[in-house]
Amino acid sequence: MKAAMRRLLPSTKAQWAWCLYDWANSAFATSILAVLFPVYFAKVIMPSKGMTLDLGLLRWTTQASSLWGYTVSTSLFCVAVIAPWIGRWADLHGKRRPLFLLLAFSGAATTTLLATTGPGTVWRALVCFIGAYACFSASEIFYNAFLPHIASPSQQDWLSGLGYAYGYVGGGLLLAVHLMWLHEPRWIGLETTHQVIRLAFFTVGLWWGFFTLPCLLWLPSQAPRLIDSASTAPSPFTAALWKDLWAHPRAATMVVAYFFYNNGIQTVITMASVYGATELGLSTTSLTGAFLMTQWIAFPGATLMAGAGERFGTRRVLLISLALWCGMVLFAYGMRSSLHFWILAAVVGFILGGSQSLSRSLFSRLIPGKKSTEFFGFFAIGGKFSAILGPFVFGVIRDVFGTPRPAILSLAVFFLIGAAMLATVKDNA
């Protein structure tokens, strides 16, 4: 029992701070990204008849679920194109921790501004969300890069899984509070659901900022790399920036594999609540409850899959999780009721954290430690560009066919290609 409890607690202050950041920013991932803001955007902010976008000679009429997909893609594109550049610049100048803290606190502050949105404030909502989500995504590059510096290779599966587990608990706790507020707004002196949701947006920003404070105190600083040539990193678009990645073929293959299968994972995360609200007619309370269940199931899922990775091999367990994702895609295609949505949420919750944490720990063992921020910038390209492509494809197919069900099936292709490439990556740790 004592040994099991020790596995649920970080062993150093730096590890505590690292896990608490997952606790902090996961409130954005759950309450803002996955549950409350997509539904609020679709049902309150967005006009019920949709919007017509004038793009020069092209006029494009779009609905809430499609515009949401385009918005997610835009915010991630802003991060993905500069991810390895800012990572390399941080490594060269020893700025990993300052840039990480700047992005984290900026994202928290921008999130609080979502509380100022309401019916018809489409562009204000999109600008605030894109800014907050870009900071959220960019901060994860630097956050992930701390992993090989605060844990030995044998600890990385465990600590990576523990970070995700803490994130699911932290995000789940605040989401539970929001669910109680939605159920009884008068408990906090409010009258309407819309008022509760705007207050929830504000509390997410406060939560994110407050629990980032231990990182300010305990995460290790970084010495600049000593180099003879230029003191700045090359442009994001020059071949020189990519030479480091191609010099490590296993890491490069992992980036490409992650690009493909993360397409499916990120599309499920970002589009599930919009799909449930617009296609299945689920209420905000029902959607919030389903995602809350996902959070609590994800805690044991992440820790158990981390243990399985240590015992049976990280790559092998990760491949099994991708096979389960393919099964979930087929199940989602046939969803017709709220019960089906809850079943899907439960199974996804179990495999979600493990899939992401094992990807992170496997990649951390394939890269040089002195260039960890730069290489996690490349990893972010695999993650963020896939998160751009998936929701964008989902939105386009939804507009073309008038139903999202064909788009759901397309996710299986991403999982299968990613799994095939991952199978070629040797994990020698």
Side-chain angles (χ1 to χ4, degrees), residues 71-96:
T71 300
V72 170
S73 298
T74 300
S75 59
L76 292 177
F77 181 82
C78 297
V79 175
V81 293
I82 64 169
W85 180 83
I86 60 174
R88 185 170 186 178
W89 188 91
D91 281 341
L92 288 173
H93 297 279
K95 300 296 185 181
R96 183 190 305 126

Side-chain angles (χ1 to χ4, degrees), residues 129-401:
F129 175 79
I130 288 172
Y133 194 22
C135 288
F136 170 86
S137 301
S139 72
E140 289 193 319
I141 299 170
F142 299 91
Y143 168 72
N144 290 335
F146 282 104
L147 178 60
H149 300 281
I150 61 175
S152 65
S154 63
Q155 289 183 314
Q156 286 170 15
D157 278 349
W158 161 74
L159 186 60
S160 183
L162 192 63
Y164 273 103
Y166 273 53
Y168 287 122
V169 173
L173 282 174
L174 191 58
L175 185 60
V177 172
H178 295 158
L179 183 60
M180 288 189 294
W181 291 353
L182 287 169
H183 182 67
E184 289 291 345
R186 295 180 182 178
W187 289 354
I188 53 174
L190 299 178
E191 297 295 331
T192 68
T193 297
H194 296 167
Q195 291 174 331
V196 171
I197 291 176
R198 287 194 292 270
L199 176 61
F201 296 158
F202 187 76
T203 60
V204 168
L206 293 182
W207 180 280
W208 184 358
F210 179 77
F211 286 107
T212 301
L213 291 175
C215 297
L216 180 65
L217 302 174
W218 297 336
L219 281 182
S221 58
Q222 169 196 16
R225 276 166 45 193
L226 298 178
I227 54 174
D228 297 327
S229 56
S231 60
T232 58
S235 162
F237 305 104
T238 61
L241 183 61
W242 295 85
K243 288 183 179 179
D244 283 345
L245 181 63
W246 305 137
H248 296 79
R250 289 193 302 162
T253 303
M254 179 68 192
V255 167
V256 178
Y258 188 62
F259 167 81
F260 280 103
Y261 67 75
N262 196 52
N263 261 296
I265 294 175
Q266 292 300 321
T267 306
V268 169
I269 293 172
T270 57
M271 302 306 296
S273 60
V274 171
Y275 178 84
T278 60
E279 302 297 328
L280 300 180
L282 302 183
S283 67
T284 301
T285 301
S286 181
L287 288 168
T288 306
F291 277 93
L292 181 59
M293 178 191 65
T294 298
Q295 295 296 111
W296 295 115
I297 292 177
F299 176 82
T303 53
L304 288 173
M305 288 186 69
E310 290 176 327
R311 181 172 181 181
F312 301 109
T314 306
R315 186 189 61 167
R316 183 176 302 167
V317 176
L318 186 52
L319 286 169
I320 292 173
S321 76
L322 296 182
L324 293 175
W325 276 110
C326 288
M328 286 301 95
V329 167
L330 297 177
F331 180 83
Y333 178 78
M335 281 197 307
R336 301 290 177 185
S337 67
S338 61
L339 176 61
H340 293 157
F341 189 88
W342 279 70
I343 292 172
L344 179 72
V347 179
V348 166
F350 187 81
I351 60 176
L352 175 61
S355 302
Q356 295 174 317
S357 68
L358 291 177
S359 298
R360 179 169 64 188
S361 60
L362 176 59
F363 186 73
S364 71
R365 296 199 294 270
L366 304 177
I367 63 176
K370 292 183 178 180
K371 301 179 180 181
S372 62
T373 316
E374 175 185 346
F375 271 76
F376 270 105
F378 292 119
F379 192 66
I381 285 186
K384 305 314 177 187
F385 266 122
S386 66
I388 294 168
L389 181 61
F392 182 81
V393 169
F394 191 100
V396 170
I397 294 178
R398 165 65 178 82
D399 283 343
V400 171
F401 287 92

Side-chain angles (χ1 to χ4, degrees), residues 14-22 143 146-147 150 159 163 360:
Q15 291 177 358
W16 268 109
W18 194 79
C19 288
L20 283 174
Y21 184 72
D22 221 322
Y143 168 72
F146 282 104
L147 178 60
I150 61 175
L159 186 60
R360 179 169 64 188

